[in-house]
Amino acid sequence: MTNQRTLSIIKPDAVKKGVIGQILARFEAKGLKVAAIKKVYLNAQTAGEFYAEHKERPFFGELVDFMVSGPCYPLVLEGPNAIMANRELMGATNPTKAEAGTIRGDFAMPCTDLSANAVHGSDSEESANREISFFFSASELA
């Protein structure tokens, strides 16, 4: 098993529901260590920059609007195969298709907006590196 780092974001809907601690406990129970975490209020420009890869997709505007609707908690997780472990914990992007026992299956319902799916997680090592450096400086990760 490869020790990795990945980025996760506890999104505004999960923050509003007050389930931050429960989500963090799931990461730790899976063997992932929280290496860094902070509370962030994104503005439209910053959210747009973070999700720039989706700029041409029809949901981009709604995603940016959602991410600026309240605070979120970006965090760096580290551990064996952290990227895949986090993706398994999150469940399907569409919470209506996420299995019970996953973060999205348990905390993103009822969901009327696919952006409001409780968490974000990097999908590859390349994305993880880019996304981690978007929110955290090297000194915050030392």
Side-chain angles (χ1 to χ4, degrees):
M1 283 194 242
T2 307
N3 213 31
Q4 294 179 319
R5 283 185 169 168
T6 190
L7 183 93
S8 186
I9 301 174
I10 300 175
K11 292 183 171 184
D13 58 318
V15 174
K16 186 176 182 179
K17 288 177 185 174
V19 295
I20 299 165
Q22 293 175 65
I23 292 171
L24 292 174
R26 290 192 184 197
F27 294 143
E28 291 177 336
K30 185 78 170 179
L32 298 171
K33 177 184 169 193
V34 177
I37 185 169
K38 63 172 112 177
K39 184 178 187 179
V40 174
Y41 291 86
L42 296 174
N43 61 38
Q45 179 180 342
T46 306
E49 289 171 6
F50 182 76
Y51 287 108
E53 67 189 82
H54 300 300
K55 192 170 189 165
E56 301 304 320
R57 297 198 175 170
F59 60 82
F60 177 76
E62 291 174 12
L63 177 59
V64 169
D65 289 345
F66 169 70
M67 291 302 292
V68 303
S69 69
C72 63
Y73 285 81
L75 60 139
V76 177
L77 299 169
E78 60 184 18
N81 295 316
I83 296 166
M84 184 56 67
N86 184 40
R87 306 254 342 137
E88 290 172 0
L89 277 171
M90 289 190 307
T93 302
N94 182 341
T96 62
K97 296 179 180 176
E99 293 182 27
T102 65
I103 293 170
R104 290 175 173 153
D106 294 346
F107 301 122
M109 296 302 293
C111 184
T112 57
D113 174 1
L114 290 184
S115 300
N117 61 0
V119 287
H120 163 89
S122 302
D123 63 4
S124 68
E125 198 163 345
E126 180 182 347
S127 292
N129 291 333
R130 178 180 49 81
E131 293 176 354
I132 289 169
S133 68
F134 188 90
F135 286 105
F136 295 95
S137 67
S139 65
E140 292 174 300
L141 298 169

